[in-house]
Amino acid sequence: MATTEFGGRGPRRVLLRQALGGDEFVVIAEPVDDVADANELAERLLVALAEPIQCDGVLLSVSASIGMSMSDDFTRPASERSGGTELLRDADLAVYKAKSEGRSRIELCDDDLRAEMFERADLEKALHQALEENEFILYYQPIIKPPVGSLHGLEALIRWNRPAKGMVPPDDFIPFAERSDLIVLIDQWVLGAVARQIRSWNAAGEYLDVPISINISGRHLGSADFIDDVMSPLLDAGIDPQRIIIEITESALLEDLDGAASKLQTLRSYGIRTAIDDFGTGYTSLAHLKSLPIDILKIDRSFTNDESASSLVQLIIDTGHLLGATITAEGIETHRQADTLTSMGSDDLQGYLYGKPCPAQDLHIPAQLA
């Protein structure tokens, strides 16, 4: 343990101790008058840490995230104030939030943060239970080929039928799951469920040769088992890999461009196609697109629903076609939108105009889409 004097409003003893991990340090300071005093100390620590340092002739800067907890926690009754173990736990909760909100931040652990973190822990436990108890369900939304309106694909979309809470949309749990390997487990469940559904349709003579799009997380794409996770359920169910389209967001691709390109090329060699989902909302450049085995660009609904973005939409369509990709316009809700996107060269259309997502048993494709 190192002891050092760190300036402030009068004498203060600051103990620095590496305790929580290889890159995490505990700072114990006393006396600290109140939250404002603690925050002032934390800000000066950030400034001091940010001072450039020389290392082998190279000038380096260090950033830090700080989580604070106080022994005299003014947000709690005296009888409930924390001991040493609880203080370390609370500081760890606060630094976790500081990191999740962005670097070089300061967060104080209070009752609201404790409640938030306990809620996250409850959600994580519930998601593990959902996987074990098969509480997830897949909805499917049609993708059509204009102008005749024939069915050209289905996108599989996960929902959670959570006990005592009802149907939970993906926006309420997928972002949380993406912070950990929970998202990989969920992706694996979706891949298996799609394979089983295709096998069931094949046995019933329904939706034969209709490709199914599956959303895959960037964390899963980056895992060593990704290829096996995609191929194993297809092989086990005897499904033609050409029935599968993998959808990846732009940001997921850019995390490891070379690794993503290699894995997607391997999938392509098996017959699986790749789509960039919500295209236009990320930072993919033309150079990136040229280096990736991309088969489909899906234009985000924020563009297809904005008439002022028509020039950008036309640019995306033209660029995609030059690269040999087909274009799917998402978020189509009116015939006017459908006619406009078709005239601009969109190859496929998807949106409420052609059907809302629904479970497989409720999927009744109109005659003109069949």
Side-chain angles (χ1 to χ4, degrees):
M1 177 181 292
T3 304
T4 184
E5 293 293 333
F6 199 86
R9 292 181 289 176
R12 174 180 287 141
R13 191 161 59 101
V14 178
L15 306 179
L16 303 178
R17 180 176 182 179
Q18 184 175 349
L20 298 183
D23 63 348
E24 296 182 344
F25 293 81
V26 176
V27 175
I28 305 172
E30 60 179 5
V32 176
D33 296 335
D34 50 29
V35 173
D37 192 16
N39 197 68
E40 180 187 354
L41 173 60
E43 288 176 347
R44 286 188 285 112
L45 282 170
L46 285 181
V47 171
L49 289 169
E51 285 292 323
I53 57 175
Q54 286 279 351
C55 182
D56 293 333
V58 178
L59 198 61
L60 302 175
S61 295
V62 178
S63 63
S65 299
I66 296 180
M68 302 189 302
S69 61
M70 301 186 66
S71 58
D72 291 327
D73 188 342
F74 303 107
T75 67
R76 308 175 71 185
S79 59
E80 299 179 6
R81 291 175 187 170
S82 303
T85 301
E86 290 78 14
L87 284 170
L88 283 174
R89 179 206 63 198
D90 288 354
D92 196 34
L93 292 176
V95 81
Y96 176 86
K97 181 178 181 181
K99 289 179 178 179
S100 67
E101 297 289 336
R103 302 298 176 180
S104 299
R105 290 181 60 89
I106 302 167
E107 293 289 345
L108 172 69
C109 186
D110 55 16
D111 283 341
D112 289 340
L113 179 57
R114 291 187 194 93
E116 178 185 342
M117 292 302 159
F118 288 137
E119 183 178 350
R120 289 184 180 182
D122 179 65
L123 181 57
E124 180 176 1
K125 180 180 178 181
L127 284 171
H128 278 291
Q129 178 179 315
L131 288 163
E132 294 171 1
E133 302 296 330
N134 205 33
E135 295 171 3
F136 293 119
I137 185 173
L138 287 184
Y139 280 30
Y140 295 88
Q141 185 175 34
I143 301 169
I144 71 100
K145 170 73 70 177
V148 295
S150 59
L151 181 65
H152 202 231
L154 293 165
E155 181 177 358
L157 301 162
I158 193 170
R159 301 291 187 269
W160 179 13
N161 190 10
R162 188 175 183 182
K165 293 183 180 292
M167 202 63 69
V168 181
D171 287 348
D172 288 355
F173 65 90
I174 290 297
F176 172 81
E178 286 178 333
R179 298 173 185 171
S180 70
D181 283 343
L182 256 174
I183 193 62
V184 176
L185 299 176
I186 291 174
D187 279 0
Q188 291 170 343
W189 182 90
V190 172
L191 288 160
V194 168
R196 292 189 295 273
Q197 184 61 64
I198 293 176
R199 182 174 59 186
S200 176
W201 279 332
N202 287 346
E206 299 178 320
Y207 306 113
L208 300 176
D209 301 323
V210 175
I212 310 298
S213 297
I214 302 174
N215 293 281
I216 294 294
S217 72
R219 182 182 287 268
H220 195 183
L221 177 63
S223 73
D225 297 326
F226 173 67
I227 300 296
D228 186 57
D229 285 346
V230 174
M231 293 303 301
S232 289
L234 301 179
L235 295 174
D236 291 344
I239 303 303
D240 183 353
Q242 294 186 63
R243 295 287 301 275
I244 301 299
I245 298 171
I246 295 297
E247 294 195 10
I248 308 286
T249 63
E250 290 182 80
S251 57
L253 290 169
L254 296 179
E255 289 178 8
D256 179 10
L257 196 64
D258 292 338
S262 175
K263 291 175 180 177
L264 297 179
Q265 186 60 56
T266 299
L267 290 182
R268 178 183 269 185
S269 70
Y270 291 118
I272 294 175
R273 288 176 288 166
T274 298
I276 298 185
D277 194 21
D278 300 334
F279 186 74
T281 61
Y283 302 95
T284 306
S285 69
L286 183 58
H288 292 146
L289 290 177
K290 289 176 64 178
S291 66
L292 292 166
I294 300 301
D295 303 287
I296 302 166
L297 297 182
K298 301 190 75 172
I299 305 176
D300 186 66
R301 69 186 65 237
S302 63
F303 296 114
T304 59
N305 292 331
D306 183 1
E307 293 185 2
S308 67
S310 59
S311 295
L312 178 57
V313 171
Q314 187 67 68
L315 177 62
I316 293 173
I317 292 173
D318 293 342
T319 300
H321 286 160
L322 284 172
L323 294 171
T326 61
I327 307 298
T328 300
E330 299 180 290
I332 305 301
E333 299 180 358
T334 67
H335 289 288
R336 179 180 177 182
Q337 287 177 327
D339 292 341
T340 298
L341 270 298
T342 300
S343 66
M344 295 174 74
S346 183
D347 301 285
D348 295 314
L349 304 175
Q350 180 179 355
Y352 285 2
L353 178 63
Y354 306 105
K356 294 183 179 181
C358 66
Q361 64 269 21
D362 298 331
L363 191 61
H364 303 295
I365 305 297
Q368 68 270 23
L369 300 186

